[in-house]
Structures are given as C-alpha cells and as structure tokens.
Amino acid sequence: MKIAILGTGAVGTTIASRLVEIGHQVMIGSRSKTNEKAIEFVQKFDRNISNGTFEEAANFGDIIFNCIKGEFAVGALKSIEKIIDNKILIDVSIPVNTKNGMPFTLIPELCNTNSLGEEIQKNLPNTKVVKTLNTMWSTLMMTPSMLKDGDHTNFICGNDTEAKETVKILLKEIGWKEESIMDLGDITGSRGMESVLHLWWKIWGSTIGTFSIKVVN
Amino acid sequence: MKIAILGTGAVGTTIASRLVEIGHQVMIGSRSKTNEKAIEFVQKFDRNISNGTFEEAANFGDIIFNCIKGEFAVGALKSIEKIIDNKILIDVSIPVNTKNGMPFTLIPELCNTNSLGEEIQKNLPNTKVVKTLNTMWSTLMMTPSMLKDGDHTNFICGNDTEAKETVKILLKEIGWKEESIMDLGDITGSRGMESVLHLWWKIWGSTIGTFSIKVVN
C-alpha cells in the first residue's frame, strides 16, 4: 500500500521504518522538499521510501499518517485539505502545549471538551480521521510484541467504521493482536486517548523501561 | 482505626461498608446530621458506624476520605480546615463538570494545568492529601479481587511520603496487592489520575462488565 507520513520527528520516522519493513511504499512529507532530516532518513533505505512536501506525500499516499507536532497539525492539514478529501488520516499526534515547559500539559483549546483528533475532523469534514497508537512510546507503537508479547491495549476511534476496519488491518500487519485493539467508538474518543499524556508522563517517572496500559476486563 | 467518610453517595457508602467489614470504626459525614440517606445507611449495620456532620466526622476520624462531589469538595473541606490540619485526607473524588451534561467533562479550572487533588492541597496546606482509587468503579475500589484476582493498577500520589505509606497499608487491608499499587509521586499525579475520566467513560461504552486499567511493564 502507498502510505504517506507527515512529519519527520521520532514518531514519523519510526512508523516509516516499520511500514517499509513490512512491505509498504512510503513517502515522508515535510514543509520543505529539502528538509535535511527527511533526506538523510530516506537515504538509509535502498527502496520503497522517498521524501517530498506535505502536498506530494499526501498525493502519494492512499493512507496518511499525521505525525506533525500537535500545535501545527490543524494548520498544516488544512493546507492540503483537498488532497486528503476522502482519504484515511491516521492521527497519532498529541496536542502538547510546548509553551508551558514541564510538566507536559495539553493545548487548552484541545482538551477536556475537545481534542486534536476532533479538531482535525471538524476542520477536514471529508477526511476519514482515525485516532490510534498515541498512548505509547513510538517504538512500542510499531513493535507491540516487545512488551508482554503484545498483551497491552491500543485504542482506536473515528467516525468512519470502514476506515477504522482498514486501519485495524494495518495495525495487525504491524503486529497488533486483534484482542489488543480496543475500539472506543467515534472520534470523541480522542479526548480520553490524548489526555493519557498526563498519566503517561507520571508513570514514565515512576517505572523503569518500556511500559503501556492494558484494559483489564 | 477511626475513619471518617465525607459524602453519602455510592462511593462513600461503598467505602464505609468495606471499612466496617474489615474492622474499622467509621463515621459518615454530611452537611446535615439529619441527612436521611446517612441515617438510613448506618441503620443497616449493628456496630462500628455512625453518622454526623462534616465537622463531627472530621473530628472523629484519624483518616478522612473525601467522597464529596468534586464541585463542592474544596468549599466543604475548607470549612473544616482546622479540624483536619495534619490529618490524612484520602481524596477519591473526580471534578466532574455536571453543568455540561454528557459526555462527562472535568471542571475547566481543575484539569490539564491543575486538578482537584492539587487544589485541595493548595487550599489546605497542612492536611496530608493522598489521591488514590479514583480510576475505577467504587465496588472495584473496595473489592479489587473481583477482577483478575486483583491484577490491575491502583495509582496513588501525594506530597507526604509517610501519609502515603499509611494509606498503602490501608489499601492492602482492603485487598490491594503491593505490586498493584503504583506510586506516581507528589500530588500533581492527580492530574493524570483524574483525567482518566475521559478514557474510562469511553471504555465503559465499549466493554461489558467490570474493567480496570493495568500498567504493563
């Protein structure tokens, strides 16, 4: 499948590496085609990966991953709205308020009564926004089996049921077990998924090594 | 031990029942001594439980549970500040914004950059506030073994290490295993613990029966 990754940070490149590894064709998108991080990154691979602008990547991908920093995501995505009309946008980002320093907090307008996932969906009503994978460290997103043989929970939510089913198939290719994927319903589920940031940060300070959350029932 | 429970809702009465069952002396506190729910509740027991005003209960208890509705908690506790000076206050409440209807949201001033646990501690600087148990259904708080033999996580946080150790002993009496109690550090951990509301609510809508969260590492 042709997959675009918007964003060249640790999350974007980790996702890109894994998708190439399991046989997909990937294009990394950034604001500028000459983004040095993106160029350097794609040179590590001998095939199936390239880089381009947000527009080029969005045109390339049948599925788009949003790994743009939370504070810039809506603006950047709005600028390519027509290109991603009717496409699936997998949103793995968190609207971290970088203005406040530590401890991490969320952007005030994008928490409690709203979320970044919802805000993207409101701004791009024809794009099929699916939120997933954002409650854990990026390496674990792409290698769930590194912790308890994958026996921990990855949440998913979104308004379009068919889009979620397509994303679930991709998640299973990545290594997620069917029983570890928990569907929280429509895109308002983003609110809970993004606010895990507060807990994640404190658990990170209290434990050693990789961790995740599991819903026990 | 003499324990006060402030609040006569489902959470307060569930906690009171269990504490009496394991041999503690309990006083339920409410705004009025003639609170009918409280009177009716204590009549179910043949010993070790009574009811009174917030003041009377706070005077009675060596440890105080705050089970007052989030929106009223700080005001009610401030009114008995001198009585609970230097006492341990176990805060199990969530600052639900009841004005917005469904879905549940948090009181705007008590989330993201603040929390009810922190707000209580700021308003009652000499009280030893310990936040715990608030991430699950009240029956599960008091009977952790009803789910996977207790193998799920109960978070705890607070500024006073000794107070937390006392509360951990009480949690173990209630039935929590040492390895299931996760200490998140100081009272700012409340922020993550209270914001679980958003996720809890969505998981509740997606699962059948009792559930809880477990930190896997």
Side-chain angles (χ1 to χ4, degrees), chain A residues 88-109:
Chain A
I88 294 172
L89 180 80
I90 303 180
D91 176 31
V92 304
S93 65
I94 299 176
V96 176
N97 187 353
T98 56
K99 293 180 188 115
N100 274 7
M102 298 298 190
F104 287 134
T105 59
L106 297 168
I107 295 172
E109 306 78 41

Side-chain angles (χ1 to χ4, degrees), chain A residues 15-29:
Chain A
I15 293 173
S17 296
R18 178 72 176 140
L19 293 176
V20 170
E21 186 182 35
I22 60 176
H24 294 288
Q25 291 172 269
V26 172
M27 186 184 277
I28 301 269

Side-chain angles (χ1 to χ4, degrees), chain B residues 72-126:
Chain B
F72 305 122
V74 173
L77 293 169
K78 194 74 186 164
S79 76
I80 52 170
E81 181 178 4
K82 289 294 164 221
I83 307 173
I84 56 178
D85 242 27
N86 287 312
K87 290 192 179 183
I88 294 173
L89 180 80
I90 303 179
D91 176 32
V92 304
S93 65
I94 299 176
V96 176
N97 186 354
T98 56
K99 294 181 187 113
N100 273 8
M102 298 298 190
F104 287 134
T105 59
L106 297 167
I107 295 171
E109 305 78 40
L110 297 177
C111 68
N112 195 34
T113 54
N114 195 12
S115 63
L116 181 54
E118 289 167 89
E119 191 68 16
I120 293 170
Q121 186 63 85
K122 275 179 254 175
N123 275 274
L124 291 90
N126 298 321

Side-chain angles (χ1 to χ4, degrees), chain B:
Chain B
M1 198 182 274
K2 289 181 171 177
I3 302 178
I5 312 284
L6 308 182
T8 55
V11 176
T13 53
T14 303
I15 293 174
S17 297
R18 179 71 176 139
L19 293 177
V20 170
E21 186 182 33
I22 61 175
H24 294 289
Q25 291 172 270
V26 172
M27 186 183 276
I28 301 269
S30 48
R31 283 185 197 280
S32 145
K33 194 169 182 159
T34 56
N35 181 302
E36 285 182 19
K37 271 172 74 180
I39 293 169
E40 197 180 319
F41 177 71
V42 301
Q43 282 171 348
K44 293 180 187 167
F45 299 81
D46 61 0
R47 72 180 79 176
N48 287 341
I49 189 161
S50 59
N51 76 293
T53 61
F54 285 148
E55 291 78 358
E56 288 168 331
N59 264 312
F60 171 87
D62 298 315
I63 289 182
I64 323 289
F65 272 84
N66 172 38
C67 308
I68 301 169
K69 268 192 181 165
E71 60 193 308
F72 305 122
V74 173
L77 293 169
K78 194 74 186 164
S79 76
I80 52 170
E81 181 178 4
K82 289 294 164 221
I83 307 173
I84 56 178
D85 242 27
N86 287 312
K87 290 192 179 183
I88 294 173
L89 180 80
I90 303 179
D91 176 32
V92 304
S93 65
I94 299 176
V96 176
N97 186 354
T98 56
K99 294 181 187 113
N100 273 8
M102 298 298 190
F104 287 134
T105 59
L106 297 167
I107 295 171
E109 305 78 40
L110 297 177
C111 68
N112 195 34
T113 54
N114 195 12
S115 63
L116 181 54
E118 289 167 89
E119 191 68 16
I120 293 170
Q121 186 63 85
K122 275 179 254 175
N123 275 274
L124 291 90
N126 298 321
T127 297
K128 297 161 186 168
V129 181
V130 177
K131 187 108 199 172
T132 192
L133 293 168
N134 78 296
T135 55
M136 68 202 77
W137 176 48
S138 57
T139 303
L140 192 56
M141 292 179 186
M142 292 294 116
T143 320
S145 63
M146 72 183 286
L147 187 63
K148 302 284 180 190
D149 198 27
D151 188 20
H152 46 101
T153 302
N154 178 27
F155 302 102
I156 186 170
C157 72
N159 296 344
D160 191 295
T161 303
E162 206 178 319
K164 279 194 289 192
E165 290 309 315
T166 302
V167 175
K168 285 176 192 171
I169 291 168
L170 183 61
L171 289 170
K172 284 184 257 185
E173 282 180 25
I174 288 165
W176 284 96
K177 295 175 185 175
E178 172 93 31
E179 63 268 27
S180 296
I181 303 170
M182 175 169 271
D183 193 331
L184 297 182
D186 69 24
I187 194 67
T188 62
S190 300
R191 231 173 270 184
M193 291 166 65
E194 294 172 12
S195 65
V196 167
L197 173 76
H198 294 293
L199 193 63
W200 192 95
W201 173 240
K202 287 291 178 178
I203 298 171
W204 181 81
S206 301
T207 56
I208 293 166
T210 301
F211 67 87
S212 190
I213 282 171
K214 182 185 174 185
V215 175
V216 177
N217 68 343

